[in-house]
Amino acid sequence: MLRRIPGCTAALLALFLAACGGGGGDSGSTDTPAAEAGDLTATNYEQTAQVIQEAVAVSTGTASSFSPVRASGTTGAAVSQAMSAALKGHGGRRVTLAGRALPADVVVDTVSCSGGGTVKTTFDDKDGSGEFSAGDVISFEFFACRESRGTVNGKATLQAVFVGANRVSVQIAYADFQAAAVGLNLQATYDVQWTGDTFTSELSVTQGRTVTSNGTPVTVTITQSGTYNASSGVQSTSTRGSVGVDGKVYTIDQPLAYTMAAGEDSPAAGSLSILDRDNDKVLVIAKPAAWRYEYHRVGNTTGTPDSASEVPKP
């Protein structure tokens, strides 16, 4: 299995699932406030940017790499560990997904997690081919599944849309999903293609609702594009779309893709742009050892931010 695919840091199957989630908080019972345009100021820009970072990270499965909040940083790892436990528990029963191993051969299987709890895996081979192919469904139900990086609860489902020699496309859904300190309900599509050692991907979160580690309700509608080179280990991601923070909507874009070299667990370069109703913006800039936040008011043409701060990476 691959350790990293564009936009994620998990194995291939864990990627499809962690690509869209992680859990915690009261994810299933939030009453989403009426949306209104957000307003960034010199006093709220850093906190707002961090909430958006965490929500995007959790929704795209890059929590361990792209968020300054340590609580959400455990989300991707916890999900990946729980997924690995489920896959290993199949005792060698395998099926291939474009040449990559996936569980099959058994309709329902329940595996104990190392720290307690279980995960139930269901493989619905719609066409009876014995392989993960278009229309087939794999679902994972986590019941207080605890591994060293955290406890996972909730259900994750992926349905194959297309499976070929060099491309896989799936639909993903998370229901009342919880891991580490955040929670998620989400629907998304994920498409990955590869030629040799070069992978390209696109993850579209069509409907996402989460509660971040500080209890803030967030809605997410984003698309993340990624590239990954298996030989060099270098990967990059670019994200665009909109994020609603406690009912206030902001537009996000990626003027410079986040890039991460082999062996790194966080991007050392790149910037994310967050715009408010007046086109004031925050730039979230990745540095080797810190995240830099720059607040630029729309009328500022000096090139120097109106306010700036840095937060060391966990």
Side-chain angles (χ1 to χ4, degrees), residues 94-96 102-105 123 125 127-133 136:
R94 315 291 288 182
V95 70
T96 59
L102 284 180
D105 187 272
F123 176 69
D125 186 2
D127 59 3
S129 66
E131 295 190 349
F132 188 61
S133 54
D136 293 349

Side-chain angles (χ1 to χ4, degrees), residues 128-179:
S129 66
E131 295 190 349
F132 188 61
S133 54
D136 293 349
V137 178
I138 299 178
S139 64
F140 299 85
E141 293 182 81
F142 299 92
F143 302 94
C145 176
R146 182 168 182 79
E147 299 293 332
S148 62
R149 295 298 295 272
T151 301
V152 180
N153 284 285
K155 184 174 182 177
T157 303
L158 75 87
Q159 180 171 9
V161 176
F162 177 86
V163 179
N166 297 94
R167 176 179 168 235
V168 175
S169 180
V170 296
Q171 294 179 332
I172 313 171
Y174 275 73
D176 297 326
F177 202 81
Q178 297 183 338

Side-chain angles (χ1 to χ4, degrees), residues 7 13 46 75 106-107 110-111 136 150 264 268 273 287 292 294:
L13 181 57
E46 181 184 309
T75 302
V106 94
V107 176
T110 300
V111 176
D136 293 349
E264 294 181 346
S273 175
K287 301 178 69 176
R292 178 174 172 82
E294 293 185 355

Side-chain angles (χ1 to χ4, degrees), residues 47-57 243 245 250 252 272 274:
Q47 181 179 2
T48 301
Q50 289 185 354
V51 168
I52 290 174
Q53 262 188 291
E54 183 178 2
V56 170
V243 178
V245 179
Y250 301 87
I252 63 174
L272 180 76
I274 303 170

Side-chain angles (χ1 to χ4, degrees), residues 199-234:
F199 294 75
T200 60
S201 68
E202 183 166 284
L203 170 70
S204 295
V205 179
T206 55
Q207 181 180 349
R209 188 174 77 254
T210 184
V211 176
T212 59
S213 57
N214 68 354
T216 303
V218 181
T219 57
V220 178
T221 305
I222 58 175
T223 297
Q224 184 177 90
S225 301
T227 62
Y228 170 70
N229 185 278
S231 296
S232 66
V234 175

